Amino acid sequence: MPAIRAQDVTKRYGSVTAVDRIDLTVEEGEVFGFLGHNGAGKSTTINMLLDFARPTKGTIEVFGKDCQADSVAARKHMGVLPEGYAVYDSLTGREHIEFAMESKGVEGEPFDVLDRLDITHAADRPAGGYSKGMAQRLVLGMALVGNPDLLVLDEPTSGLDPNGAKAMREIIREENERGTTVFFSSHVLEQVEAVADRVGIMHHGTLAAVDTIEGLRETAGGGTKLLITVDTPDEAHIETIEATEGVDSAWLDEDGQFVVTCEDDAKLDVLVALDERGVDVVDFSTEEASLEDLFVEYTRGTA
Ligand SMILES: Nc1ncnc2c1ncn2[C@@H]1O[C@H](COP(=O)(O)OP(=O)(O)OP(=O)(O)O)[C@@H](O)[C@H]1O
């Protein structure tokens, strides 16, 4: 049974379509990275999983339980690290875990959870004095109470320094090795790349791509990136470039350079096409396209 199944899900807020007809299946045991820029629709999707928001159309199930019609049963499968969580400054780490155990009606030893998150040393200190990374791990610990089948993490590495982000990724991997399915959102490709089995790229409310990292890499690696500096860069030239056979896409980067992803043997044709249009090519270079380029390609035009 899939851990998550979303079928034709749309969520509108007035005239804003936050999520637009998405179909998504996350299999049990996967680490699934949910990628997209700010405003792409990631949190809205997560909110529908948790029944904080209701789909305008379509259904979402978690382990076969409808997240709206059967939300209590669906929630029992999930542990959640929400975006913008807070800790209680005056309660200790251990008290946080005890609180989560009481609320979920779970018996157990708080230290077992604190150990998994490597914060045992701070168990009896008020959480108000924890670093951002420790606080984040503590809230994740609360989510782990009761050993949920599915961990839902909204931007789990945001605001963490590289060491904190690495620790968070290690915990995600460890929990997955215990058999937990992990669904986590991020707008940072490298965070997702390091730990996810598959990724979904959200763009303007739609799922622009769903694939394994290797699959995305093959798509990206099949091409070349051509960087072209011209005398007077103009958005209008993009059309000329994209009309060239073998070109996937083209855009102007913030330095005013054209970035072109294309088949290897289309490079010269692009330069010729620009020349025929009277565009003065000052310089050009080529690189192998990366996964990051693919992400940019799918989500071009957003901040
Ligand atoms: N409660 C709401 N009322 C109105 N519009 C909303 C609401 N929640 C989200 N939106 C809009 O829906 C779109 C998707 O937002 P969402 O928060 O899901 O994106 P996101 O990918 O999670 O972004 P972020 O990374 O910034 O959290 C945005 O245009 C946002 O302004």
Side-chain angles (χ1 to χ4, degrees):
M1 181 185 300
I4 298 175
R5 175 177 281 159
Q7 288 176 293
D8 197 25
V9 172
T10 292
K11 175 66 186 176
R12 283 191 210 99
Y13 291 105
S15 61
V16 177
T17 303
V19 170
D20 194 4
R21 292 167 294 167
I22 67 165
D23 288 299
L24 174 68
T25 302
V26 175
E27 299 297 342
E28 188 170 357
E30 274 194 297
V31 177
F32 190 92
F34 201 41
L35 208 61
H37 289 298
N38 292 335
K42 305 180 300 292
S43 297
T44 302
T45 305
I46 289 176
N47 286 341
M48 288 189 284
L49 282 174
L50 305 173
D51 199 28
F52 295 156
R54 304 207 140 214
T56 312
K57 188 167 165 277
T59 54
I60 307 196
E61 291 174 356
V62 165
F63 288 98
K65 314 277 180 357
D66 188 291
C67 295
Q68 274 64 49
D70 209 357
S71 64
V72 175
R75 271 304 287 268
K76 286 219 167 100
H77 288 282
M78 290 185 261
V80 183
L81 176 71
E83 201 184 19
Y85 66 84
V87 292
Y88 301 95
D89 286 356
S90 57
L91 292 186
T92 65
R94 185 219 302 254
E95 285 165 339
H96 276 81
I97 301 298
E98 283 168 353
F99 173 76
M101 286 176 162
E102 267 169 44
S103 337
K104 295 187 188 180
V106 168
E107 301 274 319
E109 171 48 64
F111 275 104
D112 290 346
V113 179
L114 293 165
D115 252 351
R116 268 154 77 177
L117 298 153
D118 203 20
I119 42 175
T120 314
H121 61 284
D124 291 315
R125 272 166 44 194
Y130 281 17
S131 70
K132 167 101 183 157
M134 287 162 73
Q136 197 125 329
R137 276 183 275 158
L138 179 59
V139 179
L140 178 60
M142 294 170 79
L144 292 177
V145 166
N147 292 322
D149 304 312
L150 171 64
L151 267 180
V152 178
L153 314 173
D154 203 350
E155 298 275 357
T157 52
S158 86
L160 298 184
D161 63 22
N163 282 335
K166 184 161 174 270
M168 185 58 79
R169 290 198 302 269
E170 276 164 10
I171 291 164
I172 290 174
R173 217 173 278 128
E174 278 163 22
E175 290 309 316
N176 179 246
E177 276 162 18
R178 299 167 75 103
T180 314
T181 307
V182 182
F183 182 80
F184 79 102
S185 75
S186 178
H187 59 273
V188 185
L189 176 69
E190 63 183 15
Q191 301 294 351
V192 171
E193 195 181 348
V195 69
D197 300 315
R198 281 199 307 149
V199 300
I201 301 178
M202 283 292 275
H203 182 49
H204 290 323
T206 63
L207 259 176
V210 181
D211 208 339
T212 58
I213 296 287
E214 296 79 59
L216 287 178
R217 206 177 282 290
E218 264 170 36
T219 314
T224 298
K225 192 163 73 164
L226 180 60
L227 303 168
I228 309 170
T229 309
V230 302
D231 205 11
T232 41
D234 187 336
E235 291 270 351
H237 299 139
I238 290 173
E239 212 175 307
T240 306
I241 298 171
E242 288 191 328
T244 310
E245 207 179 313
V247 170
D248 290 326
S249 68
W251 64 94
L252 258 181
D253 71 9
E254 61 265 27
D255 302 324
Q257 259 189 331
F258 288 111
V259 184
V260 184
T261 56
C262 61
E263 288 168 15
D264 210 30
D265 49 12
K267 288 180 296 198
L268 196 60
D269 297 341
V270 170
L271 299 174
V272 170
L274 285 172
D275 187 54
E276 281 173 357
R277 285 282 168 136
V279 181
D280 199 1
V281 174
V282 178
D283 196 11
F284 70 91
S285 59
T286 58
E287 286 176 10
E288 208 178 311
S290 68
L291 207 51
E292 184 75 37
D293 297 323
L294 190 79
F295 179 49
V296 172
E297 193 178 318
Y298 278 120
T299 59
R300 208 154 23 109
T302 52

